[in-house]
Amino acid sequence: MRSVYIREQKKYRKEELEQLLDMKEEELDLFLKKLKRLGMVKNDSADREQPELQELTREFRETEEDGGVWVFSCVGIMTDGSRVLKCCPKYLSGEAPLEELKEILQVLRKYESREQKLGSGETEENGGTNRLALMLLILDDYLEYGPYTNYRTSVENGGSGEVLWEETLAGTPVLTGKGKPLYPELRTLAVNEDEQDYFRALHRQVAGECMETLRELELAELFDLTDPGICPGDREEFGDTDFILYRLEQEQNVQFYDRKRRVLHMLYQYLEMEDGQEGETGFSFYGTCSFHAVWEKVCAQAFGNCLETRIQNLPLTGKPEEFRRDRRTLLELIEKPKWQEAGTGIRAESSHTLRPDIVRISEKDGSRCFSIIDAKYYLPYLRDGKVENAPGVEDVAKQYLYQMAYQDFIRKGGFEKVENIFVFPGEGEETEYLGEVRMEMFHHLLSREPEAVKLYRVPARKLYQGYLEGKALF
């Protein structure tokens, strides 16, 4: 099994990839063609004008290539069964950041669970069923809830279950005492798990196969999986694939519990893929091509986002009476565009408006601070008068517009300090101040002199831990 690390948005020459992946040129061309169709790689010479490629790190942007340069645009794990590619975020500089990648995979699993991105083993990246994601879902479900269970009922004497009076009266002699009937032995209903159930055994078989496959791919440790302790037997004992699929369909038709139907559906998908119906790519991927969205959620958790919090519930002492009664959220304070039709004068309001990533309200030493934070997945470079890989003009302008939208609330709330911040992921253990950016044209439009937008590189691993633990850090 060949296992290699790939860095997101790093430029790779074809010759370098041939050696790294141990592929011949024809095989590599086919592999890259598949990945490009799935949106996981880009050919730099063909896609040079695409915005994503403007974020490449400085040292690689300075290199001009002749068309044989490829850039990976995903974070996660991909495999074709004979090799595993561990795709790391672009800000990691180490050659083999195993511990960092393990943590990032935990973050991805929590993010995708919350956002329901992989609820049935399907991903946006390939538009179809993803075997690797499906195996993880099957194992997660098995480890949390146990094997699929059907129950069988039987009649027993003197049990603790429901009394079956009809059976008791028909099969038990009646004694009398003080004019009342006495039954020396009651027939009761016994309900027990059916240990020999076909679908229970099939669930255990598939879960064992999934764990065995992930161990062979050397991914069990990377995903921090608990071994369910199942040794898969001979699948043929359950019949051929068509027969098993038929049995699963029949069972789904008589089950109404959500968890049972979910398990049956996952087993059906798994076996259907193994029968050669998983699509033309023959490829599995667990991760995302939109890690910037994950970074935004991580930062929202770490900084204690109040954007969706009602004003009356904001963590402020000595609130103005007006705030105590206000049931609107901070997001709802931002004005929406209003349109007016020519001639009739009929007006309409847009359903969307500006939306900041994070609004944080805090108090320190009796002073109130209103922070507008934008989580940016960039690798900014500011040195010797050069600015590269930084947020665009529209990003900077929006930070000022957010402050303009909230200036009345800031005034009424008595906030002594207003912060406008960009935060970027970093490898270090401490927050690093990188500089600031300002646009003077906005300063005369605000009721109070705005601060420049500050740039900070924050410790990504610290934020990941806060996200995984579900707590704010700042």
Side-chain angles (χ1 to χ4, degrees):
M1 178 63 60
R2 191 170 186 84
S3 179
V4 299
Y5 285 88
I6 296 290
R7 185 151 67 96
E8 178 195 22
Q9 291 196 357
K10 176 181 176 179
K11 284 187 175 182
Y12 290 94
R13 301 171 185 264
K14 281 187 65 176
E15 297 79 7
E16 185 180 1
L17 289 174
E18 288 175 13
Q19 182 177 4
L20 188 65
L21 302 178
D22 190 26
M23 288 183 174
K24 295 182 179 180
E25 183 176 2
E26 297 79 7
E27 185 183 7
L28 179 62
D29 287 342
L30 181 60
F31 183 68
L32 292 174
K33 183 179 179 181
K34 291 177 180 179
L35 295 187
K36 187 172 183 179
R37 186 166 63 249
L38 298 175
M40 296 179 184
V41 298
K42 302 179 186 296
N43 180 255
D44 187 44
S45 61
D47 302 320
R48 191 177 298 275
E49 299 304 318
Q50 294 200 19
E52 296 91 338
L53 296 180
Q54 303 307 312
E55 300 178 28
L56 293 171
T57 53
R58 175 174 177 267
E59 61 269 26
F60 290 107
R61 285 172 60 92
E62 294 174 349
T63 305
E64 292 296 329
E65 304 292 351
D66 60 2
V69 176
W70 292 83
V71 177
F72 286 78
S73 57
C74 55
V75 174
I77 301 296
M78 61 177 73
T79 177
D80 63 359
S82 60
R83 55 183 60 81
V84 173
L85 280 68
K86 303 169 183 176
C87 305
C88 303
K90 59 188 176 184
Y91 68 87
L92 292 179
S93 59
E95 292 297 322
L98 176 62
E99 293 304 315
E100 291 88 344
L101 186 57
K102 287 175 66 174
E103 192 168 54
I104 287 165
L105 289 174
Q106 292 179 40
V107 169
L108 285 174
R109 296 182 78 183
K110 181 171 183 176
Y111 169 80
E112 288 161 340
S113 173
R114 282 186 172 184
E115 302 300 313
Q116 297 182 337
K117 296 289 186 181
L118 298 178
S120 61
E122 296 182 352
T123 65
E124 295 177 359
E125 282 80 8
N126 63 12
T129 307
N130 187 322
R131 187 164 182 259
L132 180 56
L134 184 58
M135 287 192 293
L136 291 169
L137 280 173
I138 290 172
L139 281 170
D140 284 344
D141 177 272
Y142 187 93
L143 292 169
E144 183 171 359
Y145 300 107
Y148 186 92
T149 301
N150 276 326
Y151 295 89
R152 59 182 179 183
T153 59
S154 59
V155 178
E156 61 182 3
N157 295 323
S160 59
E162 176 188 354
V163 176
L164 301 173
W165 287 109
E166 187 174 338
E167 285 79 357
T168 298
L169 293 172
T172 304
V174 181
L175 305 178
T176 56
K178 297 181 180 181
K180 296 181 179 180
L182 298 175
Y183 301 94
E185 193 170 56
L186 298 175
R187 296 292 180 91
T188 57
L189 179 67
V191 181
N192 298 296
E193 292 185 3
D194 187 355
E195 296 288 344
Q196 306 303 316
D197 180 68
Y198 177 88
F199 301 102
R200 181 187 183 91
L202 179 63
H203 191 195
R204 289 176 57 85
Q205 170 73 22
V206 170
E209 290 178 7
C210 290
M211 191 66 195
E212 191 174 73
T213 299
L214 291 172
R215 276 198 298 260
E216 291 173 355
L217 293 172
E218 301 175 0
L219 294 178
E221 179 186 359
L222 195 57
F223 281 103
D224 198 25
L225 294 171
T226 301
D227 193 335
I230 305 169
C231 295
D234 186 358
R235 173 92 69 77
E236 293 183 358
E237 294 179 1
F238 296 90
D240 61 28
T241 302
D242 288 339
F243 175 76
I244 300 174
L245 294 176
Y246 171 76
R247 289 288 305 270
L248 288 169
E249 287 177 347
Q250 296 299 108
E251 181 73 0
Q252 286 188 73
N253 290 337
V254 298
Q255 292 294 349
F256 300 97
Y257 291 106
D258 288 344
R259 194 256 167 165
K260 284 190 172 185
R261 292 184 62 84
R262 184 173 68 251
V263 170
L264 293 169
H265 180 63
M266 289 190 296
L267 295 179
Y268 192 98
Q269 284 185 303
Y270 176 85
L271 293 163
E272 190 177 41
M273 283 189 289
E274 277 220 335
D275 201 34
Q277 301 175 44
E278 61 176 300
E280 60 177 291
T281 64
F283 178 82
S284 289
F285 172 68
Y286 187 91
T288 181
C289 291
S290 306
F291 194 74
H292 64 89
V294 181
W295 178 242
E296 289 174 6
K297 292 292 184 181
V298 168
C299 290
Q301 174 69 60
F303 288 97
N305 192 12
C306 295
L307 190 62
E308 301 284 359
T309 303
R310 289 181 175 177
I311 294 171
Q312 63 183 197
N313 297 329
L314 289 173
L316 288 173
T317 57
K319 296 178 188 174
E321 186 61 31
E322 181 182 347
F323 285 9
R324 297 178 187 277
R325 301 190 304 269
D326 200 329
R327 295 177 59 83
R328 293 176 298 170
T329 66
L330 285 176
L331 179 60
E332 291 170 337
L333 291 182
I334 300 179
E335 183 182 2
K336 296 177 180 179
K338 297 177 177 63
W339 302 84
Q340 182 171 315
E341 183 180 339
T344 65
I346 297 175
R347 296 183 178 184
E349 186 178 77
S350 295
S351 58
H352 300 289
T353 186
L354 295 169
R355 183 187 180 97
D357 283 353
I358 303 162
V359 173
R360 178 173 179 262
I361 290 178
S362 58
E363 292 189 60
K364 186 176 182 181
D365 300 327
S367 297
R368 293 178 179 175
C369 181
F370 189 92
S371 304
I372 304 167
I373 304 170
D374 199 5
K376 289 299 183 187
Y377 187 56
Y378 289 79
L379 301 180
Y381 179 84
L382 288 78
R383 190 174 299 170
D384 302 327
K386 294 182 179 180
V387 180
E388 297 183 6
N389 308 323
V393 174
E394 66 279 4
D395 296 311
V396 178
K398 281 195 294 186
Q399 290 301 110
Y400 283 101
L401 290 173
Y402 296 148
Q403 185 170 342
M404 290 175 65
Y406 285 120
Q407 60 182 349
D408 188 51
F409 175 82
I410 291 170
R411 179 183 57 80
K412 291 179 179 178
F415 290 92
E416 290 84 2
K417 186 177 181 181
V418 178
E419 295 179 325
N420 237 323
I421 299 171
F422 285 139
V423 291
F424 310 95
E427 293 183 89
E429 297 182 0
E430 301 295 333
T431 298
E432 178 185 0
Y433 175 64
L434 301 177
E436 63 181 42
V437 57
R438 63 172 61 238
M439 294 183 73
E440 296 292 345
M441 69 173 74
F442 288 101
H443 285 228
H444 73 281
L445 297 175
L446 290 159
S447 58
R448 61 187 290 170
E449 180 65 18
E451 296 285 340
V453 182
K454 307 294 185 181
L455 283 64
Y456 291 96
R457 183 180 289 123
V458 294
R461 294 196 68 181
K462 181 178 179 181
L463 269 64
Y464 293 152
Q465 282 300 313
Y467 180 73
L468 292 171
E469 295 172 9
K471 65 181 183 182
L473 301 177
F474 300 97

